[in-house]
Amino acid sequence: MKRIAILGATGSIGTQALDVIAAHDDLQVVALAAGSDVEGLVAAARATGAEVLALADPAAAERAAVELGRPVLSGPRALVELIDAAGATVVLNAVVGAAGLEASLDTLERGLDLALANKESLVAGGELVLAAARRGGGAILPVDSEHSALQQCLGELPREQLSSLVITASGGPFRGRTRAELAEITVAQALAHPTWAMGAKITVDSATLMNKGLEVIEAHMLFGLPYDQIEVVVHPQSIVHGMARLRDGALIAHLGHPDMRVPISFALTYPERAAVPARPLEWREAFSLDFEPPDLETFGCLRLAIAAGEAGGTAPAVLNAANEVAVAAFLTGEIGFLEIEALVDDALQHVPVQPLDDLAAVLAADGAARTRVAARIAEVGA
Ligand code: NAD
Ligand code: MG
């Protein structure tokens, strides 16, 4: 029996994970955490019987505690306290943003397995996360669909036989658009993703292609390949999720209709594989798969992310934090779509890169980037 703590339980990944777990006798939810969604947490707590609960927002935690008639952890240390109290064997981190980093570190330091949807952990604090995994001995099981696919394509393949990893991108809702067209994009248009239904932040990241940039950094950390051996290809159908290119020219691909329950289930049941009621690919009707190179000039966020990854140190933490603030401002209508890229670029140019020595270095870089972007937005808005 795997005892699972779900961080970010009320979100897109969290609720799909609850569905996967409910259908599986060997998986049990022991703890649930979210940000401020009282109704979502209360419903999930009642449905699962999870004993340990947390909401980051103290007022929300108080309301949930009254409704449930039992304590709900809260505050900045809530996730770490929840992991301590939960007695979990696996922690699913499906929090959005760098807010998930400390929980990833804590999980791995304790030697627990980390099912990781929160890619921002690996972007902001990659080497620290890997070091925590080495010290604690727990596994990092990627939930991101591309990385789950790549893990399966790689299997036990000896590294010298691998020539590169290929990450597919849907291209988002604005594939083929010009910069001039992107300047006019509305929030509603950015939130209408062609192939995946996800939380708002990652949906905007998919529209700017920042999501693919974060995933390139994530792949670099998870699989230890240099950036020039990580390829990105646009594939609008989102059926091929990832490919391993071998030194003899063969490509091993992972295919399926886009359905996050598949990688969630794989991470939670690993090394077993459970049945998932996903729609099968059908060969009785013709369909085609298209591939095209990404447009790095129009979608500059992908280029910025790869450059930040190559720069190393705290540069990816700056990129990530600047992007979080810019995306939040785009979602509230304070800035336009192309300003996300401009603000991330500005932060990377002005926040000095430091070595990634410890969590304090990440938090300092993250804080400096947030301050810089907020100040720039205030200037523009004034
Ligand atoms: P979402 O916005 O739907 O859900 C986010 C969850 O995190 C919510 O439960 C929210 O309450 C919680 N949360 C927010 N701030 C918190 C905090 N400070 N402390 C505790 N909980 C907090 O987001 P999502 O789409 O489910 O994405 C979650 C993560 O998974 C992101 O890192 C995203 O990049 C990654 N991911 C998502 C998908 C997808 O299909 N949705 C696919 C791949 C990767
Ligand atoms: Mg992905």
Side-chain angles (χ1 to χ4, degrees):
M1 176 72 79
K2 290 200 188 187
R3 295 168 52 84
I4 302 169
I6 306 182
L7 317 181
T10 59
S12 163
I13 293 289
T15 51
Q16 290 179 86
L18 288 168
D19 288 346
V20 165
I21 294 166
H24 203 286
D25 288 345
D26 291 340
L27 304 177
Q28 183 193 1
V29 180
V30 293
L32 295 165
S36 56
D37 180 355
V38 176
E39 290 70 31
L41 188 88
V42 166
R46 290 198 173 124
T48 60
E51 287 188 0
V52 188
L53 305 170
L55 281 171
D57 175 355
E62 235 178 85
R63 281 197 286 138
V66 169
E67 195 146 332
L68 289 164
R70 56 200 179 91
V72 175
L73 300 164
S74 77
R77 303 283 303 160
L79 293 180
V80 169
E81 287 169 15
L82 172 131
I83 295 166
D84 190 29
T89 51
V90 183
V91 175
L92 169 61
N93 189 345
V95 170
V96 59
L101 172 60
E102 288 183 62
S104 288
L105 292 172
D106 188 66
T107 298
L108 292 167
E109 291 287 3
R110 288 170 194 271
L112 304 176
D113 286 346
L114 175 66
L116 187 62
N118 179 251
K119 65 191 86 185
E120 295 93 340
S121 288
L122 276 176
V123 172
E127 274 119 26
L128 303 179
V129 175
L130 299 181
R134 279 194 298 273
R135 277 193 297 271
I140 305 175
L141 306 161
V143 171
D144 213 349
S145 58
E146 296 79 2
H147 305 74
S148 174
L150 292 172
Q151 181 194 8
Q152 295 169 63
C153 291
L154 285 172
E156 299 299 312
L157 186 87
R159 278 308 147 95
E160 70 275 11
Q161 295 181 17
L162 178 67
S163 116
S164 67
L165 292 175
V166 187
I167 301 178
T168 52
S170 71
F174 309 133
R175 186 173 57 89
R177 302 278 179 106
T178 63
R179 298 276 299 179
E181 288 168 335
L182 291 186
E184 307 300 321
I185 289 309
T186 65
V187 172
Q189 289 170 320
L191 288 179
H193 194 276
T195 52
W196 296 98
M198 311 177 286
K201 190 261 183 185
I202 183 176
T203 304
V204 175
D205 285 349
S206 300
T208 61
L209 291 202
M210 177 60 88
N211 183 51
K212 221 36 63 176
L214 301 178
E215 291 185 356
V216 168
I217 300 173
E218 182 185 12
H220 167 78
M221 294 296 166
L222 285 171
F223 304 111
L225 253 68
Y227 284 96
D228 61 1
Q229 285 175 265
I230 302 172
E231 304 176 66
V232 174
V233 64
V234 172
H235 165 46
Q237 293 87 7
S238 300
I239 283 178
V240 177
H241 304 301
M243 294 178 265
R245 192 193 287 277
L246 309 189
R247 65 180 173 187
D248 60 5
L251 278 157
I252 300 181
H254 181 289
L255 285 76
H257 284 298
D259 185 335
M260 286 307 296
R261 293 174 304 173
V262 177
I264 291 169
S265 175
F266 185 71
L268 293 181
T269 60
Y270 184 85
E272 302 294 321
R273 264 191 120 102
V276 176
R279 181 159 72 101
L281 274 181
E282 273 294 350
W283 312 116
R284 282 177 295 206
E285 278 178 37
F287 68 93
S288 9
L289 303 176
D290 299 302
F291 297 93
E292 64 190 46
D295 178 352
L296 295 177
E297 293 311 313
T298 307
F299 297 94
C301 284
L302 175 55
R303 199 180 61 239
L304 290 174
I306 295 170
E310 283 173 334
T314 54
V318 169
L319 169 100
N320 177 67
N323 181 59
E324 284 188 31
V325 178
V327 169
F330 170 71
L331 285 169
T332 55
E334 286 167 87
I335 63 168
F337 186 75
L338 283 178
E339 282 174 274
I340 298 172
E341 177 189 326
L343 288 164
V344 172
D345 194 5
D346 171 82
L348 284 167
Q349 287 182 39
H350 288 91
V351 179
V353 175
Q354 307 288 350
L356 195 81
D357 289 335
D358 49 22
L359 180 61
V362 180
L363 297 180
D366 178 287
R370 285 174 201 271
T371 304
R372 170 90 199 170
V373 176
R376 298 287 294 169
I377 293 171
E379 272 172 46
V380 175

